[in-house]
Amino acid sequence: MKRTGVTILVVAALVGAVVGFLLDTALTSTGRPTFVPAASLPTILALLGAVVVVVAVPVFRASRGRSDRRIDPFRALRIAMLAKASSILGAASTGFALGLLGFVFTRPFTPSLGSLGSIIATAVCGAALVVAGLVAEQLCTIRKDDDDEHPGSAGAPDAGPTVG
C-alpha cells in the first residue's frame, strides 16, 4: 500500500470546493437558501480524527516492540486504510467548506455569523481530520529492515554446484 500523497489530497480538496461552490450556486439560482452544514458535522469530523489516531497507537506499539501484544496484520492494514480514507475525506470536506465560503464571500450581501461559524468549523475540523489520518497512517507503517533492500537474499538456500 502506498502512502497518501499530496496529489490525491489536493484533488479531493479541489473537487470538494467545486462541488460546494456549485451546490450553493444551484440552490440560490432556484431561490433556495444556501447550504449550511449541520453543527454536528465538525464534531463528527474531529471525533473521527481522534478515533483513527487512537486505534493506530496499538499498531505502532506492537510494530516497535513496545508491547507484548501481537497485532493481526489484517487489522493493521484495515486501520491503515481507514487512516488513508479519513485523510481523503478530510480533504474533501475541507474543500467543500471552502467552496461554500467562496460562494458566500462572492455575494454582495454580508452573511450571518451563525452560518459562517458552522462552515469555518467544518473547514478547520476537516483539515484536522487530514492531519489525524496522515499521523495514523504513519503510525501504521513498519520499520524498514535490512532485508528489505535485497529481496530474496535472506533465507534463500545457496545453490552451490550441481552434480550431473
Side-chain angles (χ1 to χ4, degrees):
M1 180 181 101
K2 289 184 178 181
R3 288 194 179 162
T4 306
V6 174
T7 307
I8 189 69
L9 295 176
V10 169
V11 167
L14 287 175
V15 168
V18 168
V19 168
F21 191 87
L22 290 178
L23 175 69
D24 267 358
T25 302
L27 286 174
T28 56
S29 68
T30 59
R32 294 179 170 190
T34 60
F35 180 78
V36 177
S40 61
L41 180 61
T43 307
I44 291 170
L45 293 174
L47 286 175
L48 179 60
V51 166
V52 166
V53 172
V54 166
V55 298
V57 168
V59 175
F60 175 75
R61 288 184 182 155
S63 68
R64 300 303 190 270
R66 297 179 184 169
S67 174
D68 295 335
R69 188 169 171 238
R70 278 195 45 83
I71 297 291
D72 180 25
F74 292 111
R75 178 178 176 212
L77 178 65
R78 285 185 208 112
I79 293 170
M81 292 303 295
L82 174 66
K84 186 172 191 148
S86 295
S87 62
I88 294 170
L89 172 68
S93 61
T94 299
F96 183 77
L98 292 177
L100 295 177
L101 277 176
F103 179 81
V104 168
F105 286 135
T106 58
R107 303 296 106 194
F109 62 90
T110 305
S112 69
L113 186 60
S115 63
L116 279 182
S118 180
I119 295 172
I120 292 170
T122 300
V124 169
C125 289
L129 182 59
V130 171
V131 171
L134 293 175
V135 166
E137 191 175 344
Q138 177 66 30
L139 291 175
C140 289
T141 58
I142 58 172
R143 293 177 294 170
K144 186 174 177 115
D145 292 337
D146 293 334
D147 295 339
D148 289 345
E149 294 177 12
H150 307 289
S153 63
D158 186 20
T162 57
V163 178

